[in-house]
Amino acid sequence: MSDSRRQHAPQDIYTREPWRLVETRFDERYLAAAESLFATANGYLGMRGTCDEGQPVVHNGTYVNGFHETWPIVYGEEAYGFAKLGQTIVDVPDAKIIRLYVDDEPFFLPTATLEGFERALDMRAGTLDRELVWAHSSGQRVSIRSRRLVSLEHRHLAAIEYDVTLLASDAPVVLVSEVVDSGGSTHPNGDPRTRQFGCEVLDAEVGRAADARVVRGYATRSSGMTLSCAIDHEVRTDCSFGVKASTDESAGRVVYSIDGTVGTRIRLTKYITYHTSRRRQVEELCQRAERVLDRAVEKGFQGLLASQRRFLDDFWHHSDVEVPDNPEWQQTIRFNLFHMCQATSRAEGVGVPAKGLTGPGYEGHYFWDTEIYVLPFLTYTKPRIAQNLLRQRYDCLEEARQRAREVNQRGALFPWRTINGNEASAYYAAGTAQYHINADIVYALRKYVDATGDGDFLKEVGAEILVETARLWVDLGFFGRHDGKFRINGVTGPDEYNTVVNNNLYTNLMARENLWYAVKTIRALSEDDPQRFASLVRDIGLGADEIDGWRQAADRMYLPYDERDGVHLQDDSFKDKQDWDFDSTPLDKYPLLLHYHPLVIYRYRVVKQADVVLAMFLLGHEFSHDQKRRNFVYYDQLTTRDSSLSCSIESIIAAEVGEADKAFSYSIEAGLMDLADVAGNVQDGCHIASMGGFWMTLIYGFAGMRDTGGRISFAPKVPVRLGGLRFPLQIRGQRLEVDLTPTSATYTLRGEAPLTIVHEDELVELEPEVPSTREVRRRPQAAGGAPAVTASDAEAVTPAGGPS
């Protein structure tokens, strides 16, 4: 990927600070991107980083995770088993708006004369802060400060503090705080990955206003979900003022009319709450909202700030990745980690949308991205949240069983994209055919159990998932008549540019792991917990002969391999396709999916994301080092990286096979996916899975961590230009602190019991509170045997296009 696909905002506007993302000048050219980058969320509630005054705006989004509308999928030609209902997250009523009028003149950023401006996403405080001075042509000057937060402690609560001070002369001041039913649009940018519904799909059923409070209640027209939204206010000032609250069919507002005096601060605090339900109980939701507002007003904004800081202090204690003396990289790392915190912290009973709650991209759907890219971070930093997300999949197991029946299979088939547990993809070739989602969920389950030792969760939740996913694989595949190998035809791997193929390597390898793990777990369960095993036999009809069938299928799994070139084939027909002419494809034709008909792409040997490389990362023990190198080199030249999920995995394998420059470059690409708008669509929301992938490039790539079968090992490959790397991991209830330089590694265990790890094939017995330092002896070798990291790297500068 050339640097020309990175669209960096100028550094005189976006400065580099290790704990803040800072905007020093308002520029409408970056408005859409900034709305995503400066979004605030908690995993349940999300607000895009729009202007406090509501205008100007591109996507004025406020989202509640899981709150969606359904709509009939219309096909030109119907076929059996196609998904019937689409699901789209709703842009709920917007309660962020606070309009300001001074001397009856509205404050409007694009036309205002500003003497100073700064907006910052504070990643330690968990707030979006703005400070400016508005200089009016009349000679009036107004200081405006605001601070917005979506509470990480209080799931349903957000708040805004808005300060106004007249600096030149007395004048009337009007503050209008609103909650407005937002309109929506379909495919707003012509991008099929984006659909947006606003309040046109909501019926208002409750609307009341009293004192400084507005309460509104709604129901969706098709999905049957209900919503309440409510706002309340406090004003602190020595100026005299009056207040009036009102509501109508499309909005509610509280208007403060203030006799402003020069030098006297006017502080408006706005509390905002949202509640949703899958049942029709609008009035009950409105009562819940009022109780939340009562507590918020009692707690006060300062109390919310304090709880936000406590929450984030704990988050950073468990999750921070430090790069000493490298503030540019530090900001990039913390920006990505902070948005993962915002996307997952209160995602209880729901999944993680591909864009988090930062924008309308991918309609608020959950994908396999969660299990493969987000859960590794959570498993080793916040395992409770990882368990919540795995339990959410279990809660949708009945819908997965139903989906398997719809596609004529036994067992369960988890949906490729969903909000409510049902398949929402209308394009089966790149959607339903991605059966690998079953194995991805099981893979994440196993990693969670290995890292935490949570055997109870495996028995109570995981066992049933294992049985039903194993059943599907055995029913889906067949034993070849000539070689007796188990084959799986008609599937799509992670690479959506090669669809409905036979024996996709990634799918077959992951299915085999799924089957082996099911055999191991269920057999152990029959011996260790006969009661739980008996319940599986009774409740889902588990038969002893099934387990033998799973084992046979796994042991005889077919894996396509090209003997001549010594590479694993992505699928049976991959080598039979025509080469894509990369040299003649202009940069503005990427991603290919937006410029070429799918049938054109499917005829060529071109890769959106290298799923063979992904398989080598997830199941590295199945490949020799030479195989990894040959596979990496082969697929690297065929991969467009049109998927934001690709570069992080390629970075990890590049580091492992000695391609240090590519490892560094691809890691930057993952880290800057949103900050530099690498994919060109950050206006639709941040790429949460790519953020998780970036964490993996640091931990699995540069730190060289592997976690096979519960054994933790490290083969560090920290680039000299990165300087160093420090991070914690949670392993079976204990804290492992890792401190790396290009030449040394120090491991410190915080806990009560010893822990054995592996450092470069050496067993290291760690004792609690006793640091253990080892030399990093192995340096990655580039092609031809030259060191991949050389002395020239010691200049400690970031390469062109990187976070500099």
Side-chain angles (χ1 to χ4, degrees):
M1 170 80 68
S2 67
D3 292 335
S4 58
R5 280 179 67 173
R6 300 180 188 144
Q7 304 172 42
H8 295 271
Q11 290 183 41
D12 64 326
I13 298 179
Y14 291 90
T15 61
R16 307 294 194 243
E17 294 187 20
W19 282 107
R20 299 195 309 160
L21 177 67
V22 183
E23 183 182 47
T24 61
R25 187 173 75 248
F26 176 73
D27 192 322
E28 280 195 89
R29 292 175 296 174
Y30 307 106
L31 182 62
E35 289 172 359
S36 298
L37 301 178
F38 288 92
T40 50
N42 65 9
Y44 172 76
L45 171 64
M47 296 177 167
R48 281 173 63 79
T50 52
C51 304
D52 294 302
E53 297 75 24
Q55 294 289 336
V57 67
V58 178
H59 287 312
N60 194 24
T62 299
Y63 307 100
V64 177
N65 195 353
F67 185 73
H68 68 280
E69 180 63 309
T70 56
W71 44 275
I73 300 175
V74 178
Y75 297 94
E77 296 182 15
E78 284 279 357
Y80 181 83
F82 278 16
K84 300 299 183 184
L85 286 178
Q87 307 152 32
T88 301
I89 196 168
V90 175
D91 184 358
V92 298
D94 182 14
K96 303 187 296 294
I97 302 170
I98 300 175
R99 304 191 193 277
L100 169 66
Y101 303 83
V102 176
D103 201 12
D104 296 322
E105 293 292 331
F107 173 64
F108 183 57
L109 263 175
T111 58
T113 299
L114 303 178
E115 291 185 353
F117 178 91
E118 181 183 276
R119 187 168 67 148
L121 186 68
D122 190 321
M123 295 176 283
R124 276 194 295 192
T127 57
L128 176 60
D129 305 327
R130 192 187 68 179
E131 181 175 350
L132 59 90
V133 174
W134 172 26
H136 196 273
S137 57
S138 66
Q140 181 65 269
R141 296 170 63 250
V142 185
S143 168
I144 306 171
R145 298 183 179 184
S146 67
R147 177 166 261 192
R148 179 190 302 175
L149 66 83
V150 175
S151 177
L152 293 163
E153 180 182 10
H154 304 283
R155 190 175 191 237
H156 298 273
L157 187 63
I160 302 171
E161 191 174 72
Y162 194 95
D163 279 9
V164 178
T165 306
L166 302 180
L167 302 179
S169 60
D170 296 352
V173 175
V174 176
L175 291 170
V176 182
S177 174
E178 296 182 309
V179 52
V180 179
D181 295 358
S182 57
S185 59
T186 300
H187 302 314
N189 295 312
D191 189 334
R193 297 168 293 184
T194 301
R195 178 192 298 266
Q196 189 170 13
F197 282 142
C199 293
E200 76 276 7
V201 300
L202 296 179
D203 289 326
E205 297 189 0
V206 174
R208 54 178 178 260
D211 299 325
R213 178 174 292 186
V214 173
V215 180
R216 296 176 67 81
Y218 306 84
T220 59
R221 295 175 182 171
S222 296
S223 68
M225 299 194 71
T226 50
L227 168 80
S228 69
C229 173
I231 56 176
D232 204 347
H233 305 79
E234 289 181 305
V235 165
R236 293 186 180 182
T237 183
D238 290 333
C239 302
S240 61
F241 66 90
V243 58
K244 182 179 180 181
S246 63
T247 184
D248 57 35
E249 63 181 15
S250 62
R253 58 185 55 86
V254 177
V255 180
Y256 287 91
S257 299
I258 306 164
D259 297 325
T261 58
V262 66
T264 303
R265 184 176 65 187
I266 303 166
R267 170 167 289 175
L268 171 66
T269 303
K270 180 175 187 175
Y271 302 100
I272 305 165
T273 187
Y274 293 86
H275 297 257
T276 61
S277 175
R278 295 183 183 271
R279 300 182 299 277
R280 293 194 60 82
Q281 48 181 10
V282 179
E283 180 56 41
E284 195 274 336
L285 289 180
C286 291
Q287 293 171 12
R288 285 168 53 185
E290 297 213 55
R291 291 194 294 270
V292 170
L293 291 178
D294 290 341
R295 289 195 300 269
V297 171
E298 181 180 356
K299 188 179 184 68
F301 192 78
Q302 292 304 310
L304 293 177
L305 286 175
S307 69
Q308 193 85 334
R309 182 60 184 259
R310 287 194 301 271
F311 190 102
L312 284 168
D313 284 348
D314 179 74
F315 170 79
W316 291 118
H317 174 71
H318 289 95
S319 309
D320 196 14
V321 179
E322 298 176 86
V323 282
D325 304 319
N326 201 326
E328 295 81 13
W329 266 81
Q330 194 66 78
Q331 183 194 57
T332 299
I333 291 170
R334 287 186 176 135
F335 170 80
N336 284 275
L337 300 188
F338 180 70
H339 267 288
M340 282 203 289
C341 172
Q342 292 198 128
T344 63
S345 290
R346 301 309 306 271
E348 295 139 16
V350 291
V352 180
K355 297 286 189 178
L357 297 171
T358 66
Y362 293 108
E363 304 178 63
H365 289 169
Y366 319 141
F367 293 79
W368 65 288
D369 309 12
T370 299
E371 282 75 25
I372 297 302
Y373 291 86
V374 178
L375 275 176
F377 167 72
L378 295 173
T379 294
Y380 285 103
T381 61
K382 289 290 181 179
R384 178 189 59 80
I385 300 176
Q387 187 197 95
N388 287 344
L389 293 170
L390 289 167
R391 189 176 293 277
Q392 188 269 339
R393 290 293 195 183
Y394 175 74
D395 291 341
C396 295
L397 184 57
E398 189 51 47
E399 288 85 353
R401 290 186 178 110
Q402 176 60 32
R403 185 57 181 157
R405 290 192 289 269
E406 291 171 354
V407 296
N408 309 101
Q409 306 293 164
R410 295 185 68 236
L413 176 59
F414 285 93
W416 179 60
R417 60 187 298 170
T418 189
I419 297 177
N420 62 13
N422 296 310
E423 179 62 76
S425 173
Y427 189 48
Y428 75 88
T432 296
Q434 293 200 42
Y435 292 87
H436 66 83
I437 179 68
N438 272 22
D440 300 332
I441 292 169
V442 169
Y443 182 90
L445 169 69
R446 182 173 190 172
K447 290 294 183 182
Y448 166 79
V449 172
D450 286 347
T452 62
D454 192 351
D456 289 341
F457 185 77
L458 179 61
K459 291 190 293 184
E460 295 166 8
V461 170
E464 195 170 346
I465 292 177
L466 284 166
V467 170
E468 298 291 25
T469 53
R471 282 174 167 169
L472 179 123
W473 291 121
V474 170
D475 190 50
L476 183 65
F478 67 100
F479 292 97
R481 68 176 64 178
H482 299 298
D483 60 5
K485 293 289 188 180
F486 191 77
R487 298 167 181 268
I488 303 175
N489 289 348
V491 301
T492 299
D495 172 29
E496 295 156 23
Y497 285 176
N498 293 270
T499 65
V500 195
V501 298
N502 294 340
N503 296 302
N504 171 258
L505 181 76
Y506 176 89
T507 302
N508 285 19
L509 277 169
M510 292 290 283
R512 183 170 71 173
E513 287 294 309
N514 189 162
L515 290 163
W516 274 338
Y517 191 45
V519 171
K520 176 183 176 182
T521 301
I522 302 305
R523 283 183 174 169
L525 195 65
S526 68
E527 298 176 0
D528 301 337
D529 193 341
Q531 185 175 355
R532 175 58 178 151
F533 180 77
S535 70
L536 291 176
V537 172
R538 179 185 66 250
D539 296 340
I540 60 176
L542 175 63
D545 58 333
E546 284 192 84
I547 303 173
D548 293 335
W550 304 343
R551 182 77 198 201
Q552 291 177 29
D555 289 347
R556 295 158 66 181
M557 186 69 69
Y558 172 71
L559 304 176
Y561 184 78
D562 182 61
E563 295 286 352
R564 187 186 67 181
D565 292 340
V567 297
H568 289 83
L569 295 180
Q570 185 163 300
D571 59 76
D572 282 352
S573 62
F574 189 73
K575 276 290 193 77
D576 298 331
K577 296 180 178 180
Q578 184 177 350
D579 290 333
W580 185 272
D581 188 356
F582 288 99
D583 293 338
S584 299
T585 305
L587 203 60
D588 61 5
K589 293 299 183 182
Y590 294 93
L592 302 183
L593 64 92
L594 296 184
H595 300 93
Y596 299 90
H597 193 282
L599 289 175
V600 173
I601 299 173
Y602 298 163
R603 295 185 187 110
Y604 286 86
R605 189 162 54 204
V606 61
V607 176
K608 183 183 181 187
Q609 62 192 86
D611 53 22
V612 171
V613 178
L614 178 58
M616 293 195 303
F617 164 57
L618 298 179
L619 303 172
H621 56 285
E622 299 288 350
F623 301 84
S624 70
H625 183 82
D626 287 342
Q627 287 174 336
K628 290 178 182 178
R629 163 161 278 284
R630 287 195 299 270
N631 287 339
F632 175 82
V633 171
Y634 179 76
Y635 287 101
D636 185 58
Q637 60 190 337
L638 301 176
T639 304
T640 64
R641 283 158 218 103
D642 284 349
S643 170
S644 63
L645 304 180
S646 191
C647 50
S648 57
I649 303 303
E650 291 179 275
S651 172
I652 294 167
I653 296 300
E656 184 174 355
V657 302
E659 294 279 358
D661 288 340
K662 288 186 175 180
F664 198 79
S665 176
Y666 291 156
S667 178
I668 292 173
E669 201 133 297
L672 294 180
M673 185 59 63
D674 297 308
L675 286 173
D677 199 9
V678 173
N681 62 353
V682 72
Q683 74 271 6
D684 296 326
C686 295
H687 297 77
I688 303 302
S690 182
M691 292 171 166
F694 179 55
W695 179 85
M696 290 196 293
T697 69
L698 303 172
I699 308 307
Y700 291 102
F702 298 148
M705 187 186 91
R706 293 296 184 270
D707 46 1
T708 304
R711 189 185 77 166
I712 306 297
S713 64
F714 296 89
K717 304 171 182 65
V718 177
V720 172
R721 51 192 151 179
L722 192 61
L725 204 59
R726 290 200 297 260
F727 58 90
L729 299 172
Q730 295 295 311
I731 301 173
R732 292 183 281 284
Q734 300 194 99
R735 176 183 173 91
L736 175 63
E737 297 174 355
V738 182
D739 189 348
L740 305 174
T741 73
T743 59
S744 68
T746 299
Y747 308 99
T748 306
L749 181 64
R750 309 294 185 188
E752 298 180 353
L755 176 68
T756 301
I757 64 170
V758 179
H759 171 85
E760 294 185 338
D761 297 331
E762 175 194 357
L763 285 176
V764 179
E765 301 285 347
L766 296 177
E767 295 292 335
E769 311 300 329
V770 180
S772 179
T773 300
R774 293 293 187 275
E775 179 185 358
V776 174
R777 298 183 300 275
R778 296 182 178 179
R779 304 301 302 276
Q781 296 294 306
V789 181
T790 66
S792 63
D793 293 327
E795 297 174 12
V797 296
T798 311
S804 56

